[in-house]
Coordinates of all heavy atoms in Angstrom, one line a residue:
M123 N 91.1 97.4 96.2 CA 91.7 96.5 97.3 C 92.8 97.3 98.0 O 93.6 97.9 97.4 CB 92.3 95.3 96.6 CG 92.7 94.2 97.6 SD 93.7 93.0 96.9 CE 92.6 92.2 95.7
S124 N 92.8 97.3 99.3 CA 93.8 98.0 100.0 C 94.8 97.0 100.8 O 95.8 97.4 101.2 CB 93.3 99.0 101.0 OG 92.5 98.4 101.9
D125 N 94.3 95.8 101.0 CA 95.1 94.8 101.6 C 95.3 93.6 100.7 O 94.4 93.2 100.0 CB 94.5 94.3 102.9 CG 94.6 95.3 104.1 OD1 95.2 96.3 103.9 OD2 94.2 94.9 105.2
V126 N 96.5 92.9 100.9 CA 96.7 91.6 100.2 C 97.0 90.6 101.2 O 97.5 90.9 102.3 CB 97.9 91.7 99.1 CG1 97.4 92.6 98.0 CG2 99.1 92.2 99.7
S127 N 96.8 89.3 100.9 CA 97.1 88.2 101.8 C 98.4 87.6 101.4 O 98.6 87.3 100.2 CB 96.0 87.2 101.7 OG 94.8 87.7 102.1
L128 N 99.2 87.4 102.4 CA 100.6 86.8 102.2 C 100.7 85.6 103.1 O 100.2 85.6 104.2 CB 101.7 87.8 102.5 CG 101.6 89.2 101.8 CD1 102.7 90.1 102.3 CD2 101.6 89.1 100.3
R129 N 101.4 84.6 102.6 CA 101.8 83.4 103.5 C 103.3 83.4 103.6 O 104.0 83.3 102.7 CB 101.3 82.1 102.8 CG 99.8 82.0 102.8 CD 99.3 81.0 101.8 NE 99.7 79.6 102.2 CZ 99.1 78.8 103.0 NH1 97.9 79.1 103.5 NH2 99.5 77.6 103.2
I130 N 103.7 83.6 104.9 CA 105.2 83.8 105.1 C 105.6 82.7 106.2 O 105.0 82.6 107.3 CB 105.5 85.2 105.7 CG1 105.0 86.2 104.7 CG2 106.9 85.3 106.0 CD1 104.9 87.7 105.3
T131 N 106.5 81.9 105.8 CA 107.1 80.9 106.7 C 108.3 81.4 107.3 O 109.2 81.9 106.7 CB 107.4 79.6 106.0 OG1 106.1 79.1 105.4 CG2 107.9 78.5 106.9
D132 N 108.4 81.3 108.7 CA 109.5 81.9 109.4 C 110.7 81.0 109.4 O 110.7 79.9 108.7 CB 109.1 82.4 110.8 CG 109.0 81.3 111.8 OD1 109.2 80.1 111.4 OD2 108.6 81.6 112.9
R133 N 111.8 81.4 110.1 CA 113.0 80.6 110.0 C 112.9 79.4 110.9 O 113.9 78.6 110.9 CB 114.2 81.5 110.5 CG 114.5 82.6 109.5 CD 115.5 83.6 110.0 NE 115.9 84.5 108.9 CZ 116.1 85.8 109.0 NH1 116.1 86.3 110.2 NH2 116.4 86.6 108.0
N134 N 111.8 79.2 111.6 CA 111.6 77.9 112.3 C 110.6 77.0 111.7 O 110.1 76.1 112.3 CB 111.2 78.3 113.8 CG 112.2 79.1 114.5 OD1 113.4 78.7 114.5 ND2 111.8 80.2 115.1
G135 N 110.1 77.4 110.5 CA 109.1 76.6 109.8 C 107.7 76.9 110.1 O 106.8 76.2 109.7
V136 N 107.5 78.0 110.9 CA 106.1 78.3 111.3 C 105.5 79.2 110.2 O 106.1 80.2 109.8 CB 106.1 79.1 112.6 CG1 104.7 79.4 113.0 CG2 106.8 78.2 113.7
L137 N 104.3 78.8 109.8 CA 103.6 79.6 108.7 C 102.8 80.7 109.3 O 102.0 80.5 110.3 CB 102.7 78.7 108.0 CG 101.8 79.3 106.9 CD1 102.6 79.9 105.8 CD2 100.8 78.3 106.4
F138 N 102.9 81.9 108.8 CA 102.1 83.1 109.2 C 101.3 83.5 108.0 O 101.8 83.6 106.9 CB 103.0 84.3 109.6 CG 103.7 84.1 110.8 CD1 104.9 83.3 110.9 CD2 103.3 84.7 112.0 CE1 105.6 83.1 112.1 CE2 104.0 84.5 113.2 CZ 105.2 83.7 113.2
E139 N 100.0 83.7 108.2 CA 99.1 84.2 107.1 C 98.8 85.6 107.5 O 98.1 85.8 108.6 CB 97.9 83.3 107.0 CG 98.3 81.9 106.5 CD 97.1 81.0 106.2 OE1 96.2 80.9 107.1 OE2 97.0 80.5 105.1
V140 N 99.2 86.6 106.8 CA 99.0 88.0 107.2 C 98.4 88.8 106.1 O 98.4 88.5 104.9 CB 100.4 88.6 107.6 CG1 101.1 87.8 108.6 CG2 101.3 88.7 106.4
E141 N 97.8 89.9 106.5 CA 97.3 90.9 105.6 C 98.3 92.0 105.5 O 98.8 92.5 106.6 CB 95.9 91.4 106.1 CG 94.9 90.3 106.3 CD 94.4 89.8 104.9 OE1 94.0 90.6 104.1 OE2 94.4 88.6 104.8
A142 N 98.5 92.5 104.3 CA 99.5 93.6 104.1 C 98.9 94.8 103.4 O 98.2 94.5 102.3 CB 100.7 93.1 103.4
P143 N 99.0 96.0 103.8 CA 98.4 97.1 103.1 C 99.2 97.5 101.9 O 100.4 97.5 101.9 CB 98.5 98.2 104.2 CG 99.6 97.9 105.0 CD 99.7 96.4 105.0
T144 N 98.4 97.8 100.8 CA 99.1 98.2 99.6 C 99.2 99.8 99.5 O 99.8 100.2 98.6 CB 98.3 97.8 98.3 OG1 96.9 98.3 98.5 CG2 98.2 96.3 98.3
D145 N 98.7 100.4 100.4 CA 98.6 101.9 100.4 C 99.5 102.6 101.4 O 99.4 103.8 101.7 CB 97.2 102.4 100.5 CG 96.6 102.0 101.7 OD1 97.2 101.2 102.5 OD2 95.4 102.3 102.0
M146 N 100.5 101.9 101.9 CA 101.4 102.5 103.0 C 102.8 102.5 102.6 O 103.7 102.7 103.4 CB 101.2 101.7 104.3 CG 99.8 102.0 104.9 SD 99.6 101.3 106.5 CE 100.8 102.1 107.5
N147 N 103.1 102.2 101.3 CA 104.4 102.3 100.8 C 105.4 101.3 101.5 O 106.5 101.7 101.9 CB 104.9 103.7 100.9 CG 105.9 104.0 99.8 OD1 106.1 103.3 98.8 ND2 106.6 105.2 100.0
M148 N 104.9 100.1 101.9 CA 105.7 99.2 102.6 C 106.3 98.2 101.7 O 105.8 97.9 100.6 CB 104.9 98.5 103.7 CG 104.4 99.4 104.8 SD 103.4 98.6 106.0 CE 104.7 97.8 107.1
S149 N 107.4 97.6 102.2 CA 108.0 96.4 101.4 C 107.7 95.1 102.1 O 107.2 95.1 103.3 CB 109.5 96.6 101.4 OG 110.1 96.4 102.7
L150 N 108.0 94.0 101.5 CA 107.8 92.7 102.1 C 108.6 92.6 103.4 O 108.2 92.1 104.4 CB 108.2 91.6 101.1 CG 108.1 90.2 101.6 CD1 106.7 89.8 102.1 CD2 108.5 89.3 100.4
M151 N 109.9 93.1 103.3 CA 110.7 93.1 104.5 C 110.0 93.8 105.7 O 110.0 93.3 106.8 CB 112.1 93.8 104.2 CG 113.0 93.9 105.4 SD 112.7 95.4 106.4 CE 113.5 96.6 105.4
E152 N 109.4 95.0 105.4 CA 108.8 95.8 106.5 C 107.6 95.1 107.1 O 107.3 95.2 108.2 CB 108.4 97.2 106.0 CG 109.7 98.0 105.7 CD 109.4 99.3 105.0 OE1 108.6 99.2 104.0 OE2 110.0 100.3 105.3
I153 N 106.9 94.3 106.2 CA 105.7 93.5 106.7 C 106.2 92.4 107.6 O 105.7 92.2 108.7 CB 104.9 92.9 105.5 CG1 104.3 94.0 104.7 CG2 103.9 91.8 106.0 CD1 103.2 94.8 105.4
I154 N 107.3 91.7 107.2 CA 107.9 90.7 108.0 C 108.3 91.2 109.4 O 108.1 90.7 110.4 CB 109.1 90.0 107.3 CG1 108.6 89.3 106.1 CG2 109.9 89.1 108.2 CD1 109.6 88.8 105.1
R155 N 108.9 92.4 109.4 CA 109.3 93.1 110.6 C 108.1 93.5 111.4 O 108.1 93.3 112.6 CB 110.2 94.3 110.3 CG 111.0 94.8 111.5 CD 112.2 95.6 111.1 NE 111.9 96.7 110.3 CZ 112.8 97.6 109.9 NH1 114.0 97.4 110.2 NH2 112.4 98.6 109.2
A156 N 107.1 94.1 110.8 CA 105.9 94.6 111.5 C 105.2 93.5 112.2 O 104.7 93.7 113.3 CB 105.0 95.3 110.5
Y157 N 105.1 92.3 111.6 CA 104.5 91.2 112.2 C 105.4 90.3 113.1 O 105.0 89.3 113.6 CB 103.8 90.3 111.2 CG 102.5 90.8 110.6 CD1 102.5 91.5 109.4 CD2 101.3 90.6 111.3 CE1 101.2 91.9 108.9 CE2 100.1 91.0 110.8 CZ 100.1 91.7 109.6 OH 98.9 92.2 109.1
A158 N 106.6 90.8 113.3 CA 107.6 90.1 114.2 C 107.8 88.7 113.7 O 107.9 87.8 114.6 CB 107.3 90.3 115.6
I159 N 107.9 88.4 112.4 CA 108.0 87.1 111.9 C 109.5 86.6 112.0 O 109.8 85.5 112.0 CB 107.4 87.0 110.4 CG1 105.9 87.3 110.6 CG2 107.7 85.7 109.8 CD1 105.2 87.4 109.2
A160 N 110.4 87.6 112.1 CA 111.8 87.3 112.3 C 112.2 88.0 113.6 O 111.6 88.9 114.0 CB 112.7 87.8 111.2
E161 N 113.2 87.4 114.2 CA 113.8 88.0 115.5 C 114.2 89.5 115.2 O 114.7 89.8 114.2 CB 115.1 87.3 115.9 CG 114.8 85.9 116.4 CD 114.1 85.8 117.7 OE1 114.6 86.6 118.6 OE2 113.2 85.0 117.9
D162 N 113.9 90.3 116.2 CA 114.3 91.7 116.2 C 115.8 91.7 115.9 O 116.6 91.0 116.6 CB 114.0 92.4 117.5 CG 113.5 93.8 117.3 OD1 113.1 94.1 116.2 OD2 113.4 94.5 118.3
G163 N 116.3 92.6 115.0 CA 117.7 92.7 114.8 C 118.2 91.7 113.8 O 119.4 91.7 113.4
E164 N 117.3 90.8 113.3 CA 117.8 89.8 112.3 C 116.9 90.0 111.0 O 116.9 89.1 110.2 CB 117.6 88.4 112.8 CG 118.6 88.2 114.0 CD 118.8 86.7 114.3 OE1 118.0 85.9 113.8 OE2 119.6 86.4 115.2
I165 N 116.3 91.1 110.8 CA 115.5 91.4 109.6 C 115.7 92.9 109.3 O 115.5 93.7 110.2 CB 114.1 90.9 109.7 CG1 113.3 91.2 108.4 CG2 113.4 91.7 110.9 CD1 113.5 90.2 107.4
G166 N 115.9 93.2 108.1 CA 116.0 94.6 107.7 C 117.2 95.4 108.3 O 117.1 96.6 108.6
V167 N 118.3 94.7 108.5 CA 119.4 95.3 109.2 C 119.9 96.5 108.5 O 120.3 97.5 109.2 CB 120.5 94.2 109.3 CG1 121.8 94.8 109.9 CG2 120.0 93.0 110.2
C168 N 119.9 96.5 107.2 CA 120.5 97.7 106.5 C 119.4 98.8 106.2 O 119.6 99.8 105.6 CB 121.1 97.3 105.2 SG 119.9 96.8 103.9
G169 N 118.2 98.5 106.7 CA 117.1 99.5 106.5 C 116.4 99.4 105.2 O 115.7 100.3 104.8
G170 N 116.7 98.4 104.4 CA 116.0 98.2 103.2 C 116.8 98.7 102.0 O 116.3 99.0 100.9
M171 N 118.2 98.8 102.2 CA 119.0 99.4 101.1 C 119.6 98.3 100.2 O 120.6 98.6 99.5 CB 120.1 100.2 101.7 CG 119.7 101.2 102.7 SD 118.9 102.6 101.9 CE 120.4 103.4 101.2
A172 N 119.2 97.0 100.3 CA 119.8 95.9 99.5 C 121.3 95.7 99.9 O 122.1 95.4 99.0 CB 119.6 96.1 98.0
M173 N 121.6 96.0 101.1 CA 123.0 95.9 101.5 C 123.4 94.9 102.6 O 124.5 94.9 103.1 CB 123.5 97.3 101.9 CG 123.6 98.3 100.8 SD 124.0 99.9 101.3 CE 125.6 99.7 101.9
C174 N 122.4 94.1 103.1 CA 122.7 93.2 104.2 C 122.3 91.8 104.0 O 122.9 90.9 104.5 CB 122.1 93.7 105.5 SG 120.3 93.5 105.5
G175 N 121.3 91.5 103.2 CA 120.8 90.2 102.9 C 120.0 89.6 104.0 O 119.5 88.4 103.9
S176 N 119.7 90.3 105.0 CA 118.9 89.8 106.2 C 117.4 89.5 105.8 O 116.7 88.9 106.5 CB 118.9 90.7 107.4 OG 118.3 91.9 107.2
C177 N 117.0 90.1 104.7 CA 115.6 90.0 104.3 C 115.4 89.0 103.2 O 114.3 89.0 102.6 CB 115.0 91.4 103.9 SG 115.9 91.9 102.4
Q178 N 116.4 88.2 103.0 CA 116.3 87.2 101.8 C 115.1 86.3 102.1 O 114.9 85.7 103.2 CB 117.6 86.4 101.7 CG 117.5 85.5 100.5 CD 118.7 84.5 100.5 OE1 118.6 83.5 99.7 NE2 119.7 84.7 101.3
C179 N 114.3 86.1 101.0 CA 113.2 85.1 101.1 C 113.3 84.2 99.9 O 113.8 84.6 98.8 CB 111.9 85.9 100.9 SG 111.5 87.0 102.2
Y180 N 112.7 83.0 100.1 CA 112.6 82.1 98.9 C 111.1 82.2 98.5 O 110.2 82.1 99.3 CB 112.9 80.6 99.4 CG 114.2 80.5 100.0 CD1 114.4 79.8 101.2 CD2 115.4 80.9 99.3 CE1 115.6 79.7 101.8 CE2 116.6 80.7 99.9 CZ 116.7 80.1 101.1 OH 118.0 80.0 101.7
I181 N 110.9 82.4 97.2 CA 109.6 82.6 96.6 C 109.0 81.2 96.3 O 109.6 80.5 95.5 CB 109.7 83.5 95.3 CG1 110.4 84.8 95.6 CG2 108.3 83.7 94.8 CD1 109.8 85.7 96.6
L182 N 107.9 80.9 96.9 CA 107.3 79.6 96.8 C 106.2 79.4 95.7 O 105.9 78.2 95.5 CB 106.8 79.1 98.2 CG 107.9 79.2 99.3 CD1 107.2 78.7 100.6 CD2 109.1 78.3 99.0
N183 N 105.7 80.4 95.2 CA 104.7 80.3 94.1 C 105.0 81.3 93.0 O 106.0 82.0 93.1 CB 103.3 80.3 94.7 CG 103.0 81.7 95.3 OD1 103.8 82.6 95.2 ND2 101.7 81.8 95.7
N184 N 104.1 81.3 92.0 CA 104.5 82.1 90.8 C 103.7 83.4 90.8 O 103.4 83.8 89.7 CB 104.3 81.3 89.5 CG 102.9 80.7 89.4 OD1 102.0 81.1 90.3 ND2 102.7 79.9 88.4
T185 N 103.6 84.0 91.9 CA 103.0 85.4 92.0 C 103.9 86.3 91.2 O 105.1 86.2 91.4 CB 102.9 85.8 93.5 OG1 102.1 84.8 94.2 CG2 102.3 87.2 93.6
P186 N 103.3 87.2 90.4 CA 104.2 88.1 89.6 C 104.9 89.1 90.5 O 104.3 89.7 91.4 CB 103.2 88.8 88.7 CG 101.9 88.6 89.2 CD 101.9 87.3 90.1
L187 N 106.2 89.2 90.3 CA 107.1 90.1 91.2 C 107.8 91.1 90.3 O 108.0 90.8 89.1 CB 108.1 89.3 91.9 CG 107.6 88.3 92.9 CD1 108.8 87.5 93.5 CD2 106.8 88.9 94.0
P188 N 108.2 92.2 90.8 CA 109.0 93.2 90.0 C 110.3 92.5 89.7 O 110.8 91.7 90.4 CB 109.2 94.4 90.9 CG 108.9 93.9 92.3 CD 107.9 92.7 92.2
P189 N 110.9 92.9 88.5 CA 112.2 92.3 88.1 C 113.3 92.6 89.2 O 113.2 93.6 89.9 CB 112.5 93.0 86.8 CG 111.5 94.0 86.5 CD 110.4 93.9 87.6
I190 N 114.3 91.8 89.2 CA 115.4 92.0 90.1 C 116.3 93.1 89.6 O 116.7 93.1 88.4 CB 116.3 90.7 90.2 CG1 115.4 89.6 90.8 CG2 117.5 91.0 91.1 CD1 116.2 88.3 91.1
G191 N 116.6 94.1 90.4 CA 117.4 95.2 90.0 C 118.9 94.9 90.2 O 119.2 93.9 90.8
A192 N 119.8 95.7 89.8 CA 121.2 95.5 89.8 C 121.7 95.4 91.2 O 122.5 94.5 91.6 CB 122.0 96.6 89.1
E193 N 121.2 96.2 92.1 CA 121.7 96.2 93.5 C 121.2 94.9 94.2 O 122.0 94.3 95.0 CB 121.2 97.4 94.3 CG 121.9 98.7 93.9 CD 121.2 99.9 94.5 OE1 120.3 99.8 95.3 OE2 121.6 101.0 94.0
E194 N 120.0 94.5 94.0 CA 119.5 93.3 94.6 C 120.3 92.1 94.0 O 120.6 91.2 94.8 CB 118.0 93.1 94.2 CG 117.4 91.8 94.8 CD 115.9 91.7 94.5 OE1 115.3 92.5 93.9 OE2 115.3 90.7 95.0
E195 N 120.5 92.1 92.8 CA 121.3 90.9 92.2 C 122.7 90.8 92.8 O 123.1 89.7 93.1 CB 121.3 91.2 90.7 CG 121.8 89.9 89.9 CD 121.7 90.1 88.4 OE1 121.1 91.1 87.9 OE2 122.2 89.2 87.7
A196 N 123.3 92.0 93.0 CA 124.7 92.0 93.5 C 124.6 91.5 95.0 O 125.5 90.7 95.4 CB 125.2 93.4 93.5
M197 N 123.6 91.9 95.8 CA 123.5 91.4 97.2 C 123.3 89.9 97.2 O 123.8 89.2 98.1 CB 122.4 92.2 97.9 CG 122.4 92.0 99.4 SD 123.9 92.6 100.2 CE 124.5 91.1 101.0
L198 N 122.4 89.5 96.4 CA 122.1 88.0 96.4 C 123.3 87.2 96.0 O 123.5 86.1 96.4 CB 120.9 87.7 95.4 CG 119.5 88.2 95.9 CD1 118.5 88.0 94.8 CD2 119.1 87.4 97.2
F199 N 124.2 87.8 95.2 CA 125.4 87.1 94.8 C 126.4 87.0 96.0 O 127.0 86.0 96.2 CB 126.0 87.9 93.6 CG 127.3 87.2 93.1 CD1 127.2 86.1 92.3 CD2 128.5 87.7 93.4 CE1 128.3 85.4 91.8 CE2 129.7 87.1 92.9 CZ 129.5 85.9 92.1
E200 N 126.3 88.1 96.8 CA 127.3 88.1 97.9 C 126.8 87.4 99.2 O 127.6 86.9 99.9 CB 127.4 89.6 98.4 CG 128.5 90.3 97.7 CD 128.6 91.8 98.2 OE1 128.5 92.0 99.4 OE2 128.6 92.7 97.3
T201 N 125.5 87.3 99.4 CA 125.0 86.8 100.7 C 125.0 85.2 100.6 O 125.2 84.6 99.6 CB 123.7 87.4 101.0 OG1 123.4 87.1 102.4 CG2 122.6 86.8 100.2
S202 N 124.7 84.7 101.8 CA 124.7 83.2 101.9 C 123.3 82.6 101.7 O 122.3 83.4 101.7 CB 125.1 82.8 103.4 OG 126.3 83.5 103.7
Y203 N 123.3 81.4 101.5 CA 122.0 80.6 101.4 C 121.1 80.9 100.2 O 119.9 80.6 100.3 CB 121.2 80.7 102.7 CG 121.9 80.5 104.0 CD1 122.2 81.5 104.9 CD2 122.4 79.2 104.3 CE1 122.9 81.3 106.1 CE2 123.1 78.9 105.5 CZ 123.3 80.0 106.4 OH 124.0 79.8 107.5
T204 N 121.7 81.5 99.2 CA 120.8 81.9 98.1 C 120.5 80.6 97.3 O 121.2 79.7 97.2 CB 121.5 82.9 97.2 OG1 122.8 82.5 96.9 CG2 121.5 84.3 97.8
K205 N 119.3 80.7 96.7 CA 118.8 79.7 95.8 C 118.2 80.4 94.6 O 118.2 81.6 94.5 CB 117.6 78.9 96.5 CG 118.0 78.2 97.8 CD 116.7 77.4 98.3 CE 117.0 76.8 99.6 NZ 115.7 76.1 100.1
E206 N 117.8 79.5 93.6 CA 117.3 80.1 92.3 C 116.1 81.0 92.6 O 115.9 82.0 91.9 CB 116.8 78.9 91.5 CG 117.9 78.0 91.0 CD 118.1 78.2 89.5 OE1 117.2 78.2 88.8 OE2 119.3 78.5 89.1
N207 N 115.3 80.7 93.6 CA 114.1 81.5 93.9 C 114.3 82.5 95.0 O 113.3 83.0 95.6 CB 113.0 80.5 94.3 CG 113.2 79.7 95.5 OD1 114.4 79.5 95.9 ND2 112.2 79.1 96.1
S208 N 115.5 82.9 95.3 CA 115.8 84.0 96.3 C 115.4 85.3 95.8 O 115.7 85.7 94.6 CB 117.3 83.9 96.7 OG 117.6 82.8 97.4
R209 N 114.9 86.1 96.7 CA 114.7 87.6 96.4 C 114.9 88.3 97.8 O 114.9 87.7 98.8 CB 113.2 87.9 96.0 CG 112.9 87.3 94.6 CD 113.6 88.0 93.5 NE 113.5 89.5 93.4 CZ 112.6 90.2 92.6 NH1 111.9 89.5 91.8 NH2 112.6 91.5 92.7
L210 N 115.2 89.6 97.7 CA 115.3 90.4 98.9 C 113.9 91.0 99.1 O 113.4 91.8 98.3 CB 116.3 91.5 98.7 CG 117.8 91.1 98.5 CD1 118.7 92.3 98.3 CD2 118.3 90.2 99.6
G211 N 113.5 90.8 100.4 CA 112.1 91.3 100.7 C 112.0 92.8 100.7 O 111.0 93.4 100.4
C212 N 113.2 93.5 100.9 CA 113.2 94.9 101.0 C 113.0 95.5 99.6 O 112.8 96.7 99.4 CB 114.4 95.5 101.7 SG 116.0 95.2 100.8
Q213 N 113.2 94.7 98.5 CA 113.1 95.2 97.2 C 111.8 94.9 96.5 O 111.6 95.0 95.3 CB 114.3 94.7 96.4 CG 115.7 95.0 96.9 CD 115.9 96.6 97.0 OE1 115.8 97.3 96.0 NE2 116.1 97.0 98.2
I214 N 110.9 94.4 97.3 CA 109.6 94.0 96.8 C 108.5 94.8 97.5 O 108.1 94.6 98.6 CB 109.3 92.5 97.1 CG1 110.4 91.6 96.3 CG2 107.9 92.1 96.6 CD1 110.2 90.1 96.6
P215 N 108.0 95.9 96.8 CA 107.0 96.7 97.4 C 105.7 95.9 97.4 O 105.4 95.1 96.6 CB 106.9 97.9 96.4 CG 107.5 97.5 95.2 CD 108.4 96.3 95.4
I216 N 104.9 96.2 98.5 CA 103.5 95.6 98.6 C 102.6 96.2 97.6 O 102.2 97.4 97.8 CB 103.0 95.7 100.0 CG1 104.0 95.1 101.0 CG2 101.7 95.1 100.2 CD1 104.2 93.6 100.9
T217 N 102.2 95.5 96.6 CA 101.2 96.0 95.6 C 100.1 94.9 95.5 O 100.2 93.8 96.0 CB 101.8 96.2 94.2 OG1 102.3 94.8 93.8 CG2 103.0 97.1 94.3
E218 N 99.0 95.3 94.8 CA 97.9 94.3 94.7 C 98.3 93.1 93.9 O 97.8 92.0 94.2 CB 96.8 95.0 93.9 CG 96.1 96.1 94.8 CD 94.9 96.8 94.1 OE1 94.5 96.3 93.0 OE2 94.5 97.8 94.6
D219 N 99.4 93.2 93.1 CA 99.9 92.0 92.4 C 100.3 90.9 93.4 O 100.4 89.7 93.0 CB 101.1 92.3 91.5 CG 100.6 93.1 90.2 OD1 99.4 93.1 90.0 OD2 101.5 93.7 89.6
L220 N 100.7 91.3 94.5 CA 101.3 90.3 95.5 C 100.3 89.4 96.2 O 100.6 88.5 96.9 CB 102.1 91.0 96.5 CG 103.6 91.1 96.3 CD1 104.0 91.6 95.0 CD2 104.3 91.8 97.4
N221 N 99.0 89.7 96.0 CA 98.0 88.9 96.7 C 98.2 87.4 96.5 O 98.3 87.0 95.3 CB 96.6 89.3 96.2 CG 95.6 88.8 97.2 OD1 95.7 88.8 98.4 ND2 94.4 88.3 96.6
G222 N 98.3 86.7 97.5 CA 98.5 85.2 97.4 C 100.0 84.8 97.5 O 100.2 83.6 97.4
L223 N 100.9 85.7 97.5 CA 102.3 85.4 97.5 C 102.7 84.5 98.7 O 102.2 84.7 99.8 CB 103.1 86.7 97.6 CG 104.6 86.5 97.7 CD1 105.2 85.9 96.4 CD2 105.3 87.8 98.0
E224 N 103.5 83.5 98.4 CA 104.0 82.6 99.5 C 105.5 82.6 99.5 O 106.1 82.5 98.4 CB 103.5 81.1 99.2 CG 102.0 81.0 99.2 CD 101.6 79.5 99.0 OE1 102.3 78.6 99.4 OE2 100.5 79.3 98.5
V225 N 106.1 82.9 100.6 CA 107.5 83.0 100.7 C 108.0 82.3 102.0 O 107.2 82.1 102.9 CB 108.0 84.5 100.8 CG1 107.6 85.3 99.6 CG2 107.6 85.2 102.0
E226 N 109.2 81.9 102.0 CA 109.9 81.4 103.2 C 111.1 82.3 103.5 O 111.9 82.5 102.6 CB 110.3 80.0 103.0 CG 111.0 79.3 104.1 CD 111.4 77.9 103.8 OE1 111.1 77.4 102.7 OE2 112.0 77.3 104.7
L227 N 111.3 82.6 104.7 CA 112.5 83.4 105.1 C 113.8 82.5 105.0 O 113.8 81.4 105.5 CB 112.4 83.9 106.5 CG 111.7 85.3 106.7 CD1 111.6 85.6 108.2 CD2 112.5 86.3 106.0
A228 N 114.7 83.1 104.3 CA 116.0 82.3 104.3 C 116.7 82.5 105.7 O 116.4 83.4 106.4 CB 116.9 83.0 103.2
P229 N 117.6 81.6 106.0 CA 118.4 81.7 107.3 C 119.1 83.1 107.3 O 119.4 83.7 106.3 CB 119.4 80.6 107.2 CG 118.9 79.6 106.2 CD 118.1 80.4 105.2
Y230 N 119.3 83.6 108.6 CA 120.0 84.8 108.8 C 121.4 84.6 108.2 O 122.1 83.6 108.6 CB 120.0 85.2 110.2 CG 120.7 86.5 110.5 CD1 120.0 87.7 110.1 CD2 121.9 86.6 111.2 CE1 120.6 88.9 110.3 CE2 122.5 87.8 111.4 CZ 121.8 89.0 111.0 OH 122.4 90.2 111.2
P231 N 121.9 85.5 107.4 CA 123.2 85.3 106.8 C 124.4 85.4 107.8 O 124.3 86.0 108.7 CB 123.3 86.5 105.7 CG 122.4 87.5 106.2 CD 121.3 86.8 107.0
Ligands
FES5 S1 117.0 94.8 104.5 FE1 119.1 94.7 104.0 S2 119.1 93.7 102.1 FE2 117.0 93.9 102.5

């Protein structure tokens, strides 16, 4: 499998169903940016370094995800609008495990 299907709800409540390649070394944040699901300049502001919080997503189903790293945990602690199911999209690489993942973009911090 080289593509996975993702369901991403934008900051206005609009649902996008997108295909994401698993072989291009992309993160969930980069997919959101590539499909222009968030306003330009309001996603991936730090370039994916876990330093801005602009890529925060709420995870809506129980698709297996990589564990939260120390930098991601620290950023989620600092940024606004976090919930129990918050993750940083830039810290989630697109892999085959993500097929069927459903997320909602958190408000811009
Ligand atoms: S892009 Fe900045 S924290 Fe993810």
